[in-house]
């Protein structure tokens, strides 16, 4: 389903939020419904997510059935699930009736069994076949992203014949596929041959033959290509659309750039949220219990880490009793190592994502990172030690503090390089787990180094 | 300049890296040059960034002049600067000669004065006018993103006339603008009227009149619209291109989705890097000194924070001397508050970016976050206190520990909600500064609460 940008500059999301909020507060449901009717699904979806649950349900009830489907696909999965759970099967069947094949495929698994059965039964044969074709491939592959409505022509046709074919198709079907910037050229056996851009079609002489004009340099994307890689191809080669082929080179669909934009945004959001251990949390007003449960995992991991660090400190209780300054200064050693490590970690995670860090140059990266941190260690270890010496009037304490800081800064750089690389090798997303593992390392080693050196040299 | 996707699946970036590395290691420069010639600018740019500086210069020297420009615009700014500094003015003039207007505009400010003068002088009048039009607007606005080569037609033309016009333009100029999915409809005074998609142009009858067919619901984007907002519009409304108008509604260019994809990717990368205080660091093999300098700022801020926290601990030296367990347990209180706060902070930063959090619902967000953390505080404070009680055989210590943990977890949730909101109000990017400010709060308050409560109740 396609919507246009009406009033995009005037009625922006936050105005819709304010107006809708006022209408609902004064229980003026007609006004609220009118507000919604004048707005577009992405704006409604965003506004809906800005409200807590009781308001969301009110808004949901006010939406026309057809609009419900269009809003639903714009929502985060968590919010989708909530609204689906609150809707009757009949409502849902009406809501998804107008969705495009690929939109429906995205939503399908989240619908109740009962609704899925009816939706499948009421599809005409052509729509069902295309639906099954999309669903054959996992979500995060080219096949899962593709539209199955590519228009294909033969290489021996003239441009004139192509134009006539397109006009006929339009007359018969009432519309052409969305976001069409090219037609795809295939042979008799549906084998992919090349791309004829609409821009060439409208600007070259009508008697030219397709096969002479078509762009054969654009490789088709195999259906099992990971979505991330598809996004990289679109970015690097500035594509608007690309053909998708099955394992035999047969054309089965096309990917348009708007789907790729969604992949890139989701990837970015995933990275942001993972870094706080929130990878599944996409709804700001999710039920408190379920939010608490998800976040508990991360807090739990951190508590285990923190107790291990505490145990390390505990091994030096005797030293701390003799020199309380150790207790005062030890968190500085741990936190400086943590920050230095996070900087390296972030750089390496980005490098891995861009294919710029691999076994071939990990050694060089490590050397560079150790070089950078050595310079900073010199600077900060000396500054910090000087402050500590003045504070406690104790030169030896300053020297131990400086050594521990230097060691933990180097440890941070080393762990920051190796941890994401090792996690990646183990098939774990470094953006997800890198931070915890790193912090555990810099805390434990930070406390151990400082208290250990102090015990050995100062007491 | 436009390149196609050749061999995208076979010769991927990491293979280019390996092959090129081997060729350079064996000093087989011919082989290396051949490798480069068979590759495409984005792959070359990515590979180049995977090598340290001495290799990069070798690769740079092996590139054909025209290729240099195309590779240059694909590189991170830091790497661009380095290679520009290593090139002679003559080389640079040749390198940028083939670039598109908007590519040149992006690079222009980074070129040496001497090169800029020559580049401007050697432009023909039409190119210079268009160049100046793009440069009139800041980089991060719609005007800075736009291409100035939009093809415009009048509303009273027939489709047949439009087709003839496009064929004539193609014959005369040899090519049409890149990524053209639509022509823009304007009146006599160049005022924007609507959009005629190529898809409609090729599929509707030739005697139809443009004004009856054109899509008038797509609002043009004012040139000063921020790039971020442009990206949101493209995402929400699945646009492939959009017209850009000046303050008088006159058509001045168009934005295509490939430029928007770059904006989204840069935004994502900015968020990732900022969270580690690396916002300017884009080159993995930047010179060690300059990397060290940039990261020093963040380490310095952290050192100040850490010393403030240490000072707080120092105020309780006497308590620690009497009960060393305090020194052992206090980092747990600080780190749990920090993690809980980071979770809330991340959620709120995302909410602000999506316009889902504002003065109207910040109160609700805070209430929800406090609810979530209350549940987790109950769980973790009791667990942690139980462990501490068993460890130290001291019930009162456990109670104080549990209270301090609870208070600091609530503090984390509160600070995580309020800090990004306050920073945003002050015009500071919360993704950049939120983490430091939060950690300072949770550290200082964590130590103060725990040691303070212990001093008051235990000693």
């Amino acid at each position: 389903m396609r919507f246009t940008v009406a009033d995009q500059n005037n009625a922006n999301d936050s105005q819709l939020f304010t107006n809708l909020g006022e209408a609902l507060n004064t229980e003026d449901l007609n006004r609220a419904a009118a507000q919604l009717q004048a707005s577009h699904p992405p704006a409604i979806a965003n506004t809906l997510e800005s409200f807590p649950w009781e308001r969301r349900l009110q808004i949901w009830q006010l939406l026309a059935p057809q609009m419900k489907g269009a809003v639903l696909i714009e929502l985060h999965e968590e919010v989708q699930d909530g609204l689906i759970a609150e809707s009757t099967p009949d409502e849902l069947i009406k809501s998804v009736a107008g969705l495009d094949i690929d939109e429906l495929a995205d939503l399908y698994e989240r619908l109740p069994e009962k609704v899925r059965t009816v939706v499948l039964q009421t599809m005409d044969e052509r729509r069902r076949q295309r639906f099954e074709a999309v669903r054959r491939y996992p979500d995060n592959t080219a096949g899962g992203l593709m539209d199955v409505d590519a228009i294909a022509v033969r290489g021996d046709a003239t441009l004139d014949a192509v134009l006539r074919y397109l006009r006929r198709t339009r007359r018969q079907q009432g519309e052409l596929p969305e976001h069409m910037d090219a037609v795809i050229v295939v042979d008799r056996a549906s084998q992919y041959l090349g791309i004829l851009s609409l821009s060439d079609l409208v600007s070259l002489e009508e008697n030219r033959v397709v096969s002479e004009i078509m762009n054969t340099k654009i490789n088709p994307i195999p259906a099992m290509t990971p979505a991330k890689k598809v996004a990289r191809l679109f970015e690097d080669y500035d594509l608007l659309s690309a053909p998708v082929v099955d394992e035999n080179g047969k054309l089965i669909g096309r990917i348009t750039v708007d789907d790729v934009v969604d992949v890139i945004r989701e990837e970015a959001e995933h990275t942001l949220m993972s870094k706080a251990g929130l990878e599944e949390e996409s709804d700001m007003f999710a039920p408190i219990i379920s939010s608490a449960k998800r976040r508990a995992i991360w807090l739990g991991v951190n508590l285990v880490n923190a107790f291990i660090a505490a145990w390390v400190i505990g091994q030096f209780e005797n030293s701390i009793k003799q020199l309380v300054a150790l207790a005062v200064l030890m968190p500085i050693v741990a936190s400086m190592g943590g920050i230095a490590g996070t900087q390296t970690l972030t750089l390496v995670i980005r490098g891995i994502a861009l294919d710029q860090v691999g076994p071939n140059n990990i050694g060089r990266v490590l050397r560079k990172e150790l070089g950078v941190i050595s310079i900073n260690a010199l600077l900060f270890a000396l500054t910090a030690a000087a402050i500590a010496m003045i504070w406690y009037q104790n030169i030896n304490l300053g020297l131990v503090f400086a050594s521990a800081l230097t060691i933990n800064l180097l440890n941070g750089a080393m762990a920051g390089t190796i941890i994401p690389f090792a996690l990646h090798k183990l098939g774990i997303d470094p953006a997800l787990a890198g931070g915890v593992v790193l912090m555990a390392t810099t805390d434990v080693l930070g406390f151990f180094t400082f208290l250990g050196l102090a015990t050995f040299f100062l007491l």
Side-chain angles (χ1 to χ4, degrees), chain A:
Chain A
M1 203 174 301
R2 191 177 191 177
F3 290 85
T4 48
V5 193
D7 296 325
Q8 73 206 9
N9 305 312
N10 312 325
N12 58 37
D13 300 5
S14 73
Q15 250 172 307
L16 176 60
F17 176 80
T18 311
N19 294 339
L20 206 53
E22 276 171 21
L24 292 173
N25 281 336
T26 56
E27 289 182 37
D28 186 348
L29 296 188
N30 289 334
R31 195 179 138 211
Q35 292 282 352
L36 289 170
Q37 210 135 32
S39 307
H40 291 278
I44 296 175
N46 202 40
T47 303
L48 200 119
E49 292 195 3
S50 310
F51 280 110
W53 267 98
E54 61 276 17
R55 279 276 179 268
R56 287 184 193 168
L57 289 178
Q58 279 187 294
I59 296 169
W60 185 244
Q61 300 308 342
L62 290 173
L63 287 171
Q66 229 212 350
M67 201 65 148
K68 281 185 180 171
V71 169
L72 211 49
I73 56 158
E74 300 285 343
L75 293 167
H76 282 100
E77 294 191 346
E78 207 174 356
V79 187
Q80 281 177 353
D81 287 346
L83 291 176
I84 287 171
E86 294 288 340
S87 304
T88 64
D90 272 5
E91 269 182 298
L92 288 173
I93 291 164
K94 269 187 228 157
S95 305
V96 302
L99 292 180
D100 284 337
I101 291 287
D102 56 326
E103 293 171 343
L104 183 59
D106 288 347
L107 207 57
Y108 190 73
E109 291 300 333
R110 317 193 83 78
L111 295 172
E113 184 58 38
K114 208 168 152 188
V115 175
R116 285 192 286 192
T117 314
V118 177
V119 166
L120 264 191
Q121 280 170 353
T122 51
M123 273 185 194
D124 65 35
E125 188 53 29
R126 183 158 159 270
R127 191 167 155 95
R128 179 156 56 235
Q129 273 177 11
R130 291 160 68 171
F131 181 65
E132 294 300 340
V134 174
R135 296 222 314 131
R136 197 171 305 138
Y137 298 97
D139 267 6
N140 56 351
T141 61
L145 285 177
M146 73 183 177
D147 298 327
V148 281
D149 53 5
I151 286 196
V153 299
R154 294 281 180 71
D156 53 9
T158 59
L159 296 193
D160 191 38
V162 173
L163 285 169
R164 272 183 286 123
Y165 172 67
L166 291 174
R167 290 195 187 111
R168 200 167 57 237
T169 309
R170 173 91 183 233
R171 270 199 309 275
Q172 284 164 0
Q173 296 180 11
E175 56 176 353
L176 292 185
E178 274 181 56
H179 297 140
M180 198 175 82
D181 70 310
V183 293
I184 302 174
V185 189
V186 293
D187 68 11
R188 245 167 237 284
S190 286
Q191 291 286 311
Y192 170 80
L193 295 178
I195 285 285
L196 172 67
S197 75
L198 293 194
S199 165
D200 283 339
L201 179 59
V202 296
S203 65
L204 291 171
E205 301 306 325
E206 288 178 278
N207 54 4
R208 300 284 294 274
V209 175
V210 169
S211 60
E212 293 166 9
I213 298 164
M214 67 184 182
N215 184 342
T216 56
K217 289 193 180 153
I218 293 189
N219 281 3
I221 299 179
M224 289 304 291
T225 309
K228 263 191 189 183
K229 184 153 185 226
V230 173
R232 282 286 303 281
L233 288 173
F234 268 74
E235 272 180 82
D236 283 353
Y237 298 101
D238 289 350
L239 303 176
L240 294 189
S241 70
V244 179
V245 293
D246 67 12
E247 55 278 25
N248 306 313
K250 200 183 132 191
L251 178 73
I252 52 173
R254 70 190 174 114
I255 294 176
T256 49
V257 67
D258 54 304
D259 296 319
V260 172
V261 167
D262 294 342
V263 170
I264 296 174
R265 177 63 86 188
E266 275 164 27
E267 221 184 288
E269 209 170 82
H270 171 77
T271 309
L272 175 69
M273 301 308 275
S274 318
K275 286 193 76 101
L278 297 169
E279 74 284 12
E280 299 283 331
E281 177 129 359
S282 45
D283 178 10
M284 195 172 327
F285 291 105
I288 288 183
I289 292 283
S290 69
S291 283
K293 229 191 270 176
R294 260 188 316 244
R295 298 201 211 164
I297 297 162
W298 200 253
L299 286 164
V301 171
N302 187 60
L303 188 64
V304 173
N305 283 345
F307 263 107
I308 295 172
W311 177 82
V312 171
I313 301 170
Q315 300 311 103
F316 298 97
E317 285 192 30
N318 214 15
S319 312
I320 293 171
K321 210 175 277 170
Q322 290 177 58
L323 189 60
V324 181
L326 298 180
V328 175
L329 297 177
M330 68 183 190
I332 298 178
V333 178
S335 91
M336 290 298 280
I339 292 280
T342 304
Q343 294 184 329
T344 303
L345 182 84
T346 308
L347 207 67
V348 173
I349 286 176
R350 196 192 61 136
I352 290 173
L354 295 177
D355 271 331
Q356 288 188 344
V357 179
N360 290 317
N361 62 357
I362 181 83
R364 276 181 184 282
V365 172
L366 184 58
R367 249 176 293 159
K368 193 231 157 176
E369 290 300 310
L370 289 176
V372 170
I373 212 61
S374 299
I375 293 176
N376 279 333
L378 203 69
L379 180 65
F380 288 103
L382 292 183
T383 313
I387 298 172
M389 277 182 203
I390 295 165
W391 188 351
Y392 286 102
Q393 302 287 326
N394 181 340
I395 292 181
N396 289 335
L397 175 66
L399 291 178
V400 164
F401 186 47
S403 313
L405 260 173
T406 305
I407 293 171
N408 206 30
L409 286 169
L410 290 170
N411 164 46
M414 200 134 54
T417 314
I418 294 167
I419 287 170
F421 192 66
L423 288 175
H424 186 68
K425 278 274 157 208
L426 292 172
I428 303 168
D429 183 356
L432 187 62
V436 222
V437 183
L438 174 82
M439 284 301 190
T441 319
T442 51
D443 275 2
V444 168
L445 253 153
F447 292 132
F448 180 77
T449 315
F450 181 51
L451 299 176
L453 287 176
T455 306
F456 200 79
F457 289 107
L458 294 183
L459 305 173

